[in-house]
Amino acid sequence: MLFAQISDLHIKRPGRLAYRKVDTAAYLARCVDKLNRLHPRPDAVVLTGDLVDFGAREEYEHLRALLAPLRIPYYLVMGNHDGRDALRQAFPDHAYLRQHPDFVQYEVALGPLRLLALDTQDPPKGGGRLCGERLQWLADKLAADRTTPTVVALHHPPFHCGIRHMDIQSLDLGDAAALAGIIAQAPNVERLICGHVHRAVQARFAGTIASICPSPAHQVALDLDPQGPSAFVMEPPAFQLHRHTPETGLVTHLAYVDDFGGASPFYDANGNLID
């Protein structure tokens, strides 16, 4: 089983740039093309939130058009920039978005894996919350199956990464502690996959791994100075590939959208190392 993760697309209305600089639509189009060209092609794509920039109907219509060429099934997760009603209206064929009456939380099968998606939105705040109802939903789902390898997807990471302006709007630490208590009881949770920070970051969490995915567009500047400014950089757009086998469990690769000239051989046609 191979699935891709992209996050923090921040799609705007057609013709609009993020921060007057970033053409997020063009970047997503390039990412979709790269995913279609991968060999082997992923079995699924999980998009971990901030799908659009202001949760507007026109933005979701634009997002849907940009994803139309994607030849892989995909699953949408809520971020703090998203809108629950507008998302559901724009993707009426994605029935999983309506599994929960109040939140965009759902369970789907990814081949031999189970995906449990959480809704961490806490409007109008940029940070994330997991109320008792949302946490109980997860606890019930995990208690019902302690054997199937499971991936939990959420937008806000449940840990601080050291980039201050992002940490102050991560998942509420009390909610993160409650989440950890639930995850710790479920040894079949292979990974928590997150977004929000626009960087590749990993941390040990409740006996498993929590992994943040970079953006297919702009990245948050790597600044571990507590007094550092809030800023973004145009580092290479990227995504993650998660490969699962029964022998190794889930193994995660950081992948770049750009090809950088393509692959070059180590050996010549006669099998000799090229020196």
Side-chain angles (χ1 to χ4, degrees):
M1 175 64 194
L2 180 69
F3 74 92
Q5 179 192 0
I6 59 178
S7 196
D8 297 273
L9 287 58
H10 290 276
I11 297 303
K12 301 178 77 68
R13 291 174 173 85
R16 298 292 299 273
L17 303 180
Y19 311 107
R20 302 178 184 175
K21 181 175 182 179
V22 187
D23 189 345
T24 54
Y27 276 106
L28 176 57
R30 289 168 53 195
C31 185
V32 166
D33 177 66
K34 178 60 174 281
L35 291 169
N36 284 335
R37 289 186 290 108
L38 286 177
H39 181 75
R41 185 181 292 170
D43 301 290
V45 181
V46 180
L47 294 82
T48 46
D50 282 2
L51 309 171
V52 300
D53 213 27
F54 288 100
R57 176 182 58 83
E58 296 86 352
E59 292 177 332
Y60 283 114
E61 291 173 352
H62 194 195
L63 171 66
R64 184 170 185 116
L66 291 165
L67 291 174
L70 183 61
R71 297 195 291 271
I72 307 168
Y74 61 89
Y75 299 91
L76 305 163
V77 179
M78 284 287 296
N80 53 288
H81 281 256
D82 291 303
R84 296 184 182 106
D85 291 341
L87 172 62
R88 286 167 166 159
Q89 291 167 9
F91 294 88
D93 51 327
H94 288 236
Y96 61 87
L97 295 172
R98 291 173 290 280
Q99 283 186 20
H100 193 287
D102 300 317
F103 304 106
V104 181
Q105 300 203 157
Y106 57 85
E107 174 184 15
V108 294
L110 301 181
L113 303 177
R114 175 176 59 158
L115 174 68
L116 298 177
L118 297 176
D119 180 340
T120 57
Q121 191 183 68
D122 184 33
K125 299 176 182 177
R129 294 299 309 267
L130 283 172
C131 62
E133 183 179 356
R134 284 176 275 189
L135 287 167
Q136 189 61 54
W137 178 91
L138 176 65
D140 292 344
K141 291 291 185 181
L142 291 174
D145 182 350
R146 297 292 200 206
T147 57
T148 301
T150 297
V151 175
V152 176
L154 66 164
H155 180 68
H156 294 86
F159 63 91
H160 284 180
C161 67
I163 302 175
R164 182 180 178 276
H165 68 95
M166 298 305 299
D167 286 344
I168 61 177
Q169 54 173 324
S170 63
L171 185 66
D172 175 85
L173 291 182
D175 296 349
L179 174 64
I182 294 169
I183 297 296
Q185 299 178 56
N188 55 324
V189 174
E190 291 271 350
R191 188 84 83 254
L192 280 79
I193 59 172
C194 316
H196 193 55
V197 180
H198 292 236
R199 298 204 67 83
V201 188
Q202 298 81 37
R204 184 173 180 174
F205 183 81
T208 186
I209 298 171
S211 171
I212 304 174
C213 184
S215 170
H218 52 293
Q219 314 302 335
V220 167
L222 178 57
D223 188 345
L224 303 180
D225 181 349
Q227 305 303 318
S230 174
F232 67 93
V233 292
M234 299 312 299
E235 292 176 352
F239 56 96
Q240 289 187 329
L241 285 171
H242 304 279
R243 179 178 182 267
H244 181 271
T245 64
E247 297 78 18
T248 61
L250 202 66
V251 175
T252 297
H253 295 263
L254 174 65
Y256 295 100
V257 172
D258 296 323
D259 291 328
F260 298 103
S264 299
F266 288 112
Y267 299 91
D268 63 22
N270 297 318
N272 299 313
L273 182 66
I274 300 173
D275 57 15

